[in-house]
Structures are given as structure tokens and as C-alpha cells.
Amino acid sequence: MTAEIIDGKAFAARVREQVAAHVERLKADHGITPGLAVVLVGEDPASQVYVRSKGKQTVEAGMASFEHKLPVETSEADLLALVRKLNADDDVHGILVQLPLPAHMNAELVINTIDPAKDVDGFHISNVGLLGTGQKSMVPCTPLGCLMLLRDRLGKLAGLNAVVVGRSNIVGKPMAQLLLGDSCTVTIAHSRTKDLPAVCRGADILVAAVGRPEMVKGDWIKPGATVIDVGINRIDAPEKGEGKSRLVGDVDFASASEVAGAITPVPGGVGPMTIACLLANTLTACCRAKGLPEPAGLTP
Ligand code: GUN
């Protein structure tokens, strides 16, 4: 079997178009411009790339982008003061504090200081609890993007066996909650799971989010399964020349694509969905703040 390649890049472009169209209507009909504030502390190169990309796509969607770049030595108290200021700013509907934060800061405290209604990452403990109890919340962007891709490919997910490999607060746990919300039978597996290949072979839906390059092999996959690869790992690629590298996922794409029914590539699969869902969450937060109808199809 040769798997269908799930084109996350094209799907994300459609989500962004949908967001932009809704933003345009908000502006025209209500004079409202959704605004996203992104806070970056320090100069982590990967974070700088993400933040630049978020700012660019926010503006392209017609929204206001507020970037706050703070030096690495910023005190936690100063960061908390900025978060509180953004909480009180009516032009800001979404707040994202880029992680990881420098070691001298308590990331949980910072995240839990964000107004939950503006927590477009869905990391605030209130949103975690709301999602876990099936209530309306802000949903973490990467799992939301994965859910959209799965529904698009499979339609109703009810009754399917879903295995999520990885138990992070950012991806694994919220992904499992979303799949449970769609009535899947959900297993959360991780690096300590006994006979992980056998557990994975039971999956109709396999979501890999462990951060280990090419760990999930083709013979771990049930024939015809839908495989969502959340991993983004940079590995050496001497075949491309000395000192060269390439991006791979947590799934060994070559062997997996021989067995799976459908699979997301890396890059071009889940990655582009994360920022598209951040824009969607910002729009949703804005609509909720203003008591306006939420856009259809952009929330679980
Ligand atoms: N760092 C890497 N991914 C993310 C994300 O989704 N949100 C935030 N805030 N920081 C990140």
C-alpha cells in the first residue's frame, strides 16, 4: 500500500483564508480588528523564527500583530506586569508567550497569569480543565490542527482506536482529550510503554508526538491507518553534503508510507496547521469577547 499524503500546507492555507474572510467581515460590519500579542523573551533562534512567522501570518490574515521582544535578563516580575497590561488591553484578543522561557522564570506562573479568555495557546490551567471536562475552551493549536486534518480525512472519528505517542501538556494530553471528545477509544503511549510497537499496531489513528526522530517504523503501523506526525527533528544529512541537515518527523516516513492509508509529511504536514490554528483561536477569542457568533469549523 502507498499512503495518501495529507497536505497540511494546503489545508492550513484554506484555514487562513477562512480566518481572513471572517476578519474582513468583522472589520466591515462591526469595525473590530482582532489583535494578537506575541511575547518573546530572549534570543532563542528557533523561537525567533516562529515569532516572525506568527507576526507575518497574523498581518496577512488582516489582524493586528503586537510583538513584544524582551531581553533574556528580563525579570519574571516585569514579564508578569506586561502580561497583566496585555490582559487589560481591549485591542488585544489573544496573548501568546513563546516557550521555552529562560530558566529563571516560572513558565506555569506566567501562563496562568494570562487571562484564560485571551489564552490562544490553550495552556492556562482553566482551559486545560475546561477541555478535560468537555466544556468550551481555548484549545492548543497543534492538537486542534491535527483534529481538523483527521476529520477532513476520516469524517466521523467515533469508535476508532486512537493511539497518541507522547504525553506532553502541549500536544499529547490535549490531543488525547480531543480524540476522546470525538468518541475515539484513546490510548496515551510514551517512551516507557511496554511493547510500544504492538500498542501502535492497534491504532486506526496514530499520532506521534514524542520528539524522537523517525522512531515509529512501518511495521508498527496497522495497514490502512491514518498517521499524524507531529515531530519536527533536525538531523544530520551527510548525503546532502558536509555539515548539512534535514527535517524529519517522529515517524520513519519511507517505511510508514508503505503501510499507512494516509500520512502527514514533515515538513508540510502538521507544522503549517499550528500557526493557522493560532490565527483561528485569536479570531475565536475576539468573537467571544465581543459576544459575536464564532466562525464555524475553527473550533472543536
Ligand atoms: N514553543 C513551541 N511551540 C509553542 C507553542 O505552540 N506555543 C508557545 N507559546 N510556545 C511554543
Side-chain angles (χ1 to χ4, degrees):
M1 177 180 292
T2 304
E4 178 195 323
I5 309 299
I6 299 174
D7 189 346
K9 197 172 162 194
F11 197 98
R14 290 200 293 278
V15 171
R16 291 198 304 271
E17 277 168 24
Q18 205 185 328
V19 170
H22 200 102
V23 168
E24 202 160 306
R25 284 198 298 278
L26 274 184
K27 285 182 180 173
D29 298 348
H30 303 279
I32 294 167
T33 303
L36 172 64
V38 175
V39 181
L40 173 62
V41 186
E43 296 184 355
D44 176 63
S47 293
Q48 285 179 328
V49 172
Y50 285 131
V51 166
R52 209 174 307 130
S53 192
K54 283 167 188 168
K56 183 166 169 278
Q57 294 188 34
T58 302
V59 171
E60 281 169 4
M63 305 199 267
S65 171
F66 307 99
E67 271 182 32
H68 296 267
K69 293 187 178 161
L70 308 179
V72 68
E73 63 273 12
T74 302
S75 70
E76 185 182 272
D78 284 351
L79 177 59
L80 292 174
L82 173 61
V83 169
R84 292 195 184 98
K85 195 168 136 234
L86 296 171
N87 284 345
D89 186 338
D90 288 339
D91 292 334
V92 172
H93 306 97
I95 301 170
L96 180 145
V97 178
Q98 185 68 28
L99 301 176
L101 285 168
H104 66 276
M105 292 189 179
N106 177 345
E108 282 175 4
L109 174 63
V110 173
I111 287 165
N112 290 328
T113 301
I114 297 172
D115 177 350
K118 296 188 178 188
D119 168 37
V120 283
D121 261 329
F123 296 165
H124 189 289
I125 189 67
S126 297
N127 283 315
V128 175
L130 290 167
L131 178 63
T133 49
Q135 301 178 69
K136 194 156 106 172
S137 65
M138 297 306 302
V139 176
C141 304
T142 300
L144 178 58
C146 295
L147 184 73
M148 287 181 185
L149 294 177
L150 284 167
R151 284 179 178 168
D152 182 62
R153 151 105 191 142
L154 296 168
K156 293 254 180 295
L157 309 184
L160 295 176
N161 285 331
V163 174
V164 179
V165 189
R167 52 179 157 177
S168 71
N169 292 334
I170 292 180
V171 182
K173 287 180 201 161
M175 186 75 250
Q177 296 287 4
L178 288 172
L179 291 165
L180 200 53
D182 269 23
S183 301
C184 291
T185 302
V186 182
T187 303
I188 303 182
H190 45 78
S191 56
R192 306 284 293 272
T193 295
K194 279 190 190 149
D195 201 353
L196 184 55
V199 172
C200 291
R201 273 193 290 271
D204 303 306
I205 293 170
L206 182 60
V207 180
V210 264
R212 297 201 182 181
E214 300 179 316
M215 186 180 82
V216 176
K217 307 297 181 194
D219 62 0
W220 296 25
I221 293 168
K222 179 174 173 174
T226 302
V227 178
I228 304 290
D229 190 351
V230 181
I232 301 179
N233 310 286
R234 189 164 283 286
I235 62 167
D236 292 340
E239 73 279 6
K240 287 169 68 178
E242 204 185 308
K244 296 282 186 195
S245 64
R246 64 190 173 100
L247 287 181
V248 297
D250 291 348
V251 178
D252 176 27
F253 187 85
S255 63
S257 57
E258 293 295 317
V259 185
I263 186 168
T264 58
V266 177
V270 173
M273 291 299 291
T274 298
I275 298 184
C277 288
L278 174 67
L279 304 180
N281 277 351
T282 304
L283 173 59
T284 299
C286 177
C287 292
R288 287 180 186 170
K290 301 291 180 186
L292 294 167
E294 290 173 28
L298 298 180
T299 51

PDB file of all heavy atoms in Angstrom, residues 38-39 47 50 54 95-100 111 121 123 140-142 170-171 274 278, ligand 1:
ATOM      1  N   VAL A  38       2.244  38.720  20.805  1.00  0.00           N
ATOM      2  CA  VAL A  38       3.202  37.631  20.987  1.00  0.00           C
ATOM      3  C   VAL A  38       4.383  38.173  21.784  1.00  0.00           C
ATOM      4  O   VAL A  38       4.940  39.221  21.453  1.00  0.00           O
ATOM      5  CB  VAL A  38       3.670  37.068  19.630  1.00  0.00           C
ATOM      6  CG1 VAL A  38       4.758  36.024  19.821  1.00  0.00           C
ATOM      7  CG2 VAL A  38       2.504  36.456  18.875  1.00  0.00           C
ATOM      8  N   VAL A  39       4.721  37.460  22.840  1.00  0.00           N
ATOM      9  CA  VAL A  39       5.807  37.896  23.714  1.00  0.00           C
ATOM     10  C   VAL A  39       6.958  36.907  23.601  1.00  0.00           C
ATOM     11  O   VAL A  39       6.757  35.694  23.770  1.00  0.00           O
ATOM     12  CB  VAL A  39       5.323  37.955  25.191  1.00  0.00           C
ATOM     13  CG1 VAL A  39       6.461  38.434  26.103  1.00  0.00           C
ATOM     14  CG2 VAL A  39       4.096  38.851  25.320  1.00  0.00           C
ATOM     15  N   SER A  47      12.857  30.077  18.297  1.00  0.00           N
ATOM     16  CA  SER A  47      11.712  30.881  18.749  1.00  0.00           C
ATOM     17  C   SER A  47      11.593  32.161  17.926  1.00  0.00           C
ATOM     18  O   SER A  47      10.490  32.594  17.593  1.00  0.00           O
ATOM     19  CB  SER A  47      11.868  31.242  20.232  1.00  0.00           C
ATOM     20  OG  SER A  47      11.768  30.090  21.027  1.00  0.00           O
ATOM     21  N   TYR A  50       9.868  31.304  14.705  1.00  0.00           N
ATOM     22  CA  TYR A  50       8.426  31.087  14.909  1.00  0.00           C
ATOM     23  C   TYR A  50       7.694  32.411  15.103  1.00  0.00           C
ATOM     24  O   TYR A  50       6.641  32.648  14.530  1.00  0.00           O
ATOM     25  CB  TYR A  50       8.171  30.212  16.143  1.00  0.00           C
ATOM     26  CG  TYR A  50       8.470  28.745  15.952  1.00  0.00           C
ATOM     27  CD1 TYR A  50       9.237  28.046  16.871  1.00  0.00           C
ATOM     28  CD2 TYR A  50       7.972  28.049  14.857  1.00  0.00           C
ATOM     29  CE1 TYR A  50       9.513  26.692  16.708  1.00  0.00           C
ATOM     30  CE2 TYR A  50       8.243  26.699  14.682  1.00  0.00           C
ATOM     31  CZ  TYR A  50       9.016  26.030  15.609  1.00  0.00           C
ATOM     32  OH  TYR A  50       9.288  24.695  15.448  1.00  0.00           O
ATOM     33  N   LYS A  54       4.722  33.984  12.937  1.00  0.00           N
ATOM     34  CA  LYS A  54       3.407  34.261  13.528  1.00  0.00           C
ATOM     35  C   LYS A  54       2.976  35.685  13.228  1.00  0.00           C
ATOM     36  O   LYS A  54       1.830  35.944  12.838  1.00  0.00           O
ATOM     37  CB  LYS A  54       3.448  34.041  15.048  1.00  0.00           C
ATOM     38  CG  LYS A  54       3.425  32.594  15.451  1.00  0.00           C
ATOM     39  CD  LYS A  54       3.784  32.393  16.931  1.00  0.00           C
ATOM     40  CE  LYS A  54       3.940  30.904  17.228  1.00  0.00           C
ATOM     41  NZ  LYS A  54       4.544  30.619  18.528  1.00  0.00           N
ATOM     42  N   ILE A  95      -3.198  36.368  23.510  1.00  0.00           N
ATOM     43  CA  ILE A  95      -1.843  36.566  24.048  1.00  0.00           C
ATOM     44  C   ILE A  95      -1.105  35.235  23.968  1.00  0.00           C
ATOM     45  O   ILE A  95      -1.622  34.204  24.402  1.00  0.00           O
ATOM     46  CB  ILE A  95      -1.871  37.016  25.526  1.00  0.00           C
ATOM     47  CG1 ILE A  95      -2.656  38.321  25.689  1.00  0.00           C
ATOM     48  CG2 ILE A  95      -0.451  37.162  26.086  1.00  0.00           C
ATOM     49  CD1 ILE A  95      -2.934  38.700  27.147  1.00  0.00           C
ATOM     50  N   LEU A  96       0.107  35.286  23.406  1.00  0.00           N
ATOM     51  CA  LEU A  96       0.938  34.082  23.352  1.00  0.00           C
ATOM     52  C   LEU A  96       2.314  34.440  23.905  1.00  0.00           C
ATOM     53  O   LEU A  96       2.942  35.378  23.426  1.00  0.00           O
ATOM     54  CB  LEU A  96       1.059  33.592  21.908  1.00  0.00           C
ATOM     55  CG  LEU A  96       1.908  32.341  21.676  1.00  0.00           C
ATOM     56  CD1 LEU A  96       1.317  31.504  20.563  1.00  0.00           C
ATOM     57  CD2 LEU A  96       3.353  32.686  21.368  1.00  0.00           C
ATOM     58  N   VAL A  97       2.725  33.748  24.933  1.00  0.00           N
ATOM     59  CA  VAL A  97       4.085  33.903  25.444  1.00  0.00           C
ATOM     60  C   VAL A  97       4.887  32.724  24.907  1.00  0.00           C
ATOM     61  O   VAL A  97       4.591  31.560  25.215  1.00  0.00           O
ATOM     62  CB  VAL A  97       4.110  33.916  26.990  1.00  0.00           C
ATOM     63  CG1 VAL A  97       5.546  34.021  27.484  1.00  0.00           C
ATOM     64  CG2 VAL A  97       3.271  35.077  27.533  1.00  0.00           C
ATOM     65  N   GLN A  98       5.869  33.026  24.072  1.00  0.00           N
ATOM     66  CA  GLN A  98       6.628  31.969  23.409  1.00  0.00           C
ATOM     67  C   GLN A  98       7.423  31.157  24.436  1.00  0.00           C
ATOM     68  O   GLN A  98       8.111  31.715  25.299  1.00  0.00           O
ATOM     69  CB  GLN A  98       7.570  32.596  22.366  1.00  0.00           C
ATOM     70  CG  GLN A  98       8.336  31.617  21.521  1.00  0.00           C
ATOM     71  CD  GLN A  98       7.461  30.809  20.548  1.00  0.00           C
ATOM     72  OE1 GLN A  98       6.409  31.263  20.113  1.00  0.00           O
ATOM     73  NE2 GLN A  98       7.901  29.606  20.232  1.00  0.00           N
ATOM     74  N   LEU A  99       7.321  29.852  24.318  1.00  0.00           N
ATOM     75  CA  LEU A  99       8.075  28.934  25.172  1.00  0.00           C
ATOM     76  C   LEU A  99       9.220  28.330  24.353  1.00  0.00           C
ATOM     77  O   LEU A  99       9.096  28.235  23.139  1.00  0.00           O
ATOM     78  CB  LEU A  99       7.150  27.822  25.674  1.00  0.00           C
ATOM     79  CG  LEU A  99       5.932  28.296  26.483  1.00  0.00           C
ATOM     80  CD1 LEU A  99       5.050  27.108  26.819  1.00  0.00           C
ATOM     81  CD2 LEU A  99       6.348  29.057  27.723  1.00  0.00           C
ATOM     82  N   PRO A 100      10.301  27.920  24.935  1.00  0.00           N
ATOM     83  CA  PRO A 100      10.582  27.945  26.370  1.00  0.00           C
ATOM     84  C   PRO A 100      10.959  29.340  26.853  1.00  0.00           C
ATOM     85  O   PRO A 100      11.511  30.141  26.097  1.00  0.00           O
ATOM     86  CB  PRO A 100      11.767  26.996  26.497  1.00  0.00           C
ATOM     87  CG  PRO A 100      12.470  27.066  25.165  1.00  0.00           C
ATOM     88  CD  PRO A 100      11.388  27.318  24.150  1.00  0.00           C
ATOM     89  N   ILE A 111       2.101  31.572  32.397  1.00  0.00           N
ATOM     90  CA  ILE A 111       0.950  31.141  31.580  1.00  0.00           C
ATOM     91  C   ILE A 111      -0.355  31.316  32.349  1.00  0.00           C
ATOM     92  O   ILE A 111      -1.365  31.765  31.798  1.00  0.00           O
ATOM     93  CB  ILE A 111       1.154  29.670  31.133  1.00  0.00           C
ATOM     94  CG1 ILE A 111       2.235  29.612  30.059  1.00  0.00           C
ATOM     95  CG2 ILE A 111      -0.142  29.075  30.600  1.00  0.00           C
ATOM     96  CD1 ILE A 111       2.779  28.237  29.802  1.00  0.00           C
ATOM     97  N   ASP A 121      -3.056  29.902  23.206  1.00  0.00           N
ATOM     98  CA  ASP A 121      -2.312  28.639  23.221  1.00  0.00           C
ATOM     99  C   ASP A 121      -3.123  27.530  23.892  1.00  0.00           C
ATOM    100  O   ASP A 121      -2.798  26.346  23.734  1.00  0.00           O
ATOM    101  CB  ASP A 121      -1.018  28.808  24.037  1.00  0.00           C
ATOM    102  CG  ASP A 121       0.206  29.053  23.180  1.00  0.00           C
ATOM    103  OD1 ASP A 121       0.249  28.544  22.050  1.00  0.00           O
ATOM    104  OD2 ASP A 121       1.125  29.750  23.664  1.00  0.00           O
ATOM    105  N   PHE A 123      -3.058  26.900  27.065  1.00  0.00           N
ATOM    106  CA  PHE A 123      -2.189  26.276  28.074  1.00  0.00           C
ATOM    107  C   PHE A 123      -2.596  26.634  29.504  1.00  0.00           C
ATOM    108  O   PHE A 123      -2.108  26.039  30.466  1.00  0.00           O
ATOM    109  CB  PHE A 123      -0.721  26.689  27.879  1.00  0.00           C
ATOM    110  CG  PHE A 123      -0.093  26.231  26.572  1.00  0.00           C
ATOM    111  CD1 PHE A 123       1.102  26.794  26.124  1.00  0.00           C
ATOM    112  CD2 PHE A 123      -0.673  25.221  25.807  1.00  0.00           C
ATOM    113  CE1 PHE A 123       1.697  26.373  24.944  1.00  0.00           C
ATOM    114  CE2 PHE A 123      -0.084  24.795  24.615  1.00  0.00           C
ATOM    115  CZ  PHE A 123       1.105  25.369  24.180  1.00  0.00           C
ATOM    116  N   PRO A 140      -5.362  24.026  22.495  1.00  0.00           N
ATOM    117  CA  PRO A 140      -3.997  24.148  21.975  1.00  0.00           C
ATOM    118  C   PRO A 140      -3.934  23.945  20.456  1.00  0.00           C
ATOM    119  O   PRO A 140      -4.603  23.073  19.889  1.00  0.00           O
ATOM    120  CB  PRO A 140      -3.240  23.048  22.730  1.00  0.00           C
ATOM    121  CG  PRO A 140      -3.968  22.926  24.020  1.00  0.00           C
ATOM    122  CD  PRO A 140      -5.425  23.136  23.672  1.00  0.00           C
ATOM    123  N   CYS A 141      -3.113  24.777  19.832  1.00  0.00           N
ATOM    124  CA  CYS A 141      -3.148  24.918  18.361  1.00  0.00           C
ATOM    125  C   CYS A 141      -2.733  23.649  17.610  1.00  0.00           C
ATOM    126  O   CYS A 141      -3.386  23.274  16.628  1.00  0.00           O
ATOM    127  CB  CYS A 141      -2.222  26.062  17.943  1.00  0.00           C
ATOM    128  SG  CYS A 141      -2.622  27.619  18.751  1.00  0.00           S
ATOM    129  N   THR A 142      -1.660  23.002  18.037  1.00  0.00           N
ATOM    130  CA  THR A 142      -1.186  21.845  17.269  1.00  0.00           C
ATOM    131  C   THR A 142      -2.196  20.693  17.317  1.00  0.00           C
ATOM    132  O   THR A 142      -2.561  20.145  16.257  1.00  0.00           O
ATOM    133  CB  THR A 142       0.213  21.413  17.760  1.00  0.00           C
ATOM    134  OG1 THR A 142       1.101  22.519  17.581  1.00  0.00           O
ATOM    135  CG2 THR A 142       0.739  20.225  16.975  1.00  0.00           C
ATOM    136  N   ILE A 170       1.520  20.128  25.873  1.00  0.00           N
ATOM    137  CA  ILE A 170       1.282  20.957  24.689  1.00  0.00           C
ATOM    138  C   ILE A 170       0.605  20.165  23.580  1.00  0.00           C
ATOM    139  O   ILE A 170      -0.246  20.687  22.875  1.00  0.00           O
ATOM    140  CB  ILE A 170       2.628  21.567  24.199  1.00  0.00           C
ATOM    141  CG1 ILE A 170       3.153  22.577  25.212  1.00  0.00           C
ATOM    142  CG2 ILE A 170       2.484  22.207  22.835  1.00  0.00           C
ATOM    143  CD1 ILE A 170       4.469  23.242  24.823  1.00  0.00           C
ATOM    144  N   VAL A 171       0.971  18.893  23.438  1.00  0.00           N
ATOM    145  CA  VAL A 171       0.400  18.098  22.330  1.00  0.00           C
ATOM    146  C   VAL A 171      -0.291  16.820  22.817  1.00  0.00           C
ATOM    147  O   VAL A 171      -1.492  16.644  22.612  1.00  0.00           O
ATOM    148  CB  VAL A 171       1.468  17.739  21.267  1.00  0.00           C
ATOM    149  CG1 VAL A 171       0.818  16.959  20.131  1.00  0.00           C
ATOM    150  CG2 VAL A 171       2.152  18.980  20.711  1.00  0.00           C
ATOM    151  N   THR A 274      -0.268  24.611  12.799  1.00  0.00           N
ATOM    152  CA  THR A 274      -0.181  25.202  14.140  1.00  0.00           C
ATOM    153  C   THR A 274      -0.442  26.708  14.090  1.00  0.00           C
ATOM    154  O   THR A 274      -1.269  27.230  14.857  1.00  0.00           O
ATOM    155  CB  THR A 274       1.194  24.894  14.765  1.00  0.00           C
ATOM    156  OG1 THR A 274       1.311  23.474  14.893  1.00  0.00           O
ATOM    157  CG2 THR A 274       1.329  25.520  16.145  1.00  0.00           C
ATOM    158  N   LEU A 278      -3.552  29.027  15.417  1.00  0.00           N
ATOM    159  CA  LEU A 278      -3.336  30.177  16.300  1.00  0.00           C
ATOM    160  C   LEU A 278      -4.161  31.371  15.812  1.00  0.00           C
ATOM    161  O   LEU A 278      -4.794  32.080  16.614  1.00  0.00           O
ATOM    162  CB  LEU A 278      -1.840  30.526  16.321  1.00  0.00           C
ATOM    163  CG  LEU A 278      -1.457  31.777  17.079  1.00  0.00           C
ATOM    164  CD1 LEU A 278      -1.714  31.613  18.571  1.00  0.00           C
ATOM    165  CD2 LEU A 278       0.002  32.134  16.827  1.00  0.00           C
TER     166      LEU A 278
HETATM  167  N1  GUN B   1       7.068  26.930  21.594  1.00  0.00           N
HETATM  168  C1  GUN B   1       6.967  25.896  20.722  1.00  0.00           C
HETATM  169  N2  GUN B   1       5.683  25.673  20.392  1.00  0.00           N
HETATM  170  C2  GUN B   1       4.953  26.589  21.055  1.00  0.00           C
HETATM  171  C3  GUN B   1       3.557  26.875  21.097  1.00  0.00           C
HETATM  172  O1  GUN B   1       2.715  26.218  20.481  1.00  0.00           O
HETATM  173  N3  GUN B   1       3.212  27.917  21.902  1.00  0.00           N
HETATM  174  C4  GUN B   1       4.110  28.626  22.611  1.00  0.00           C
HETATM  175  N4  GUN B   1       3.663  29.614  23.377  1.00  0.00           N
HETATM  176  N5  GUN B   1       5.404  28.390  22.583  1.00  0.00           N
HETATM  177  C5  GUN B   1       5.821  27.376  21.811  1.00  0.00           C
END
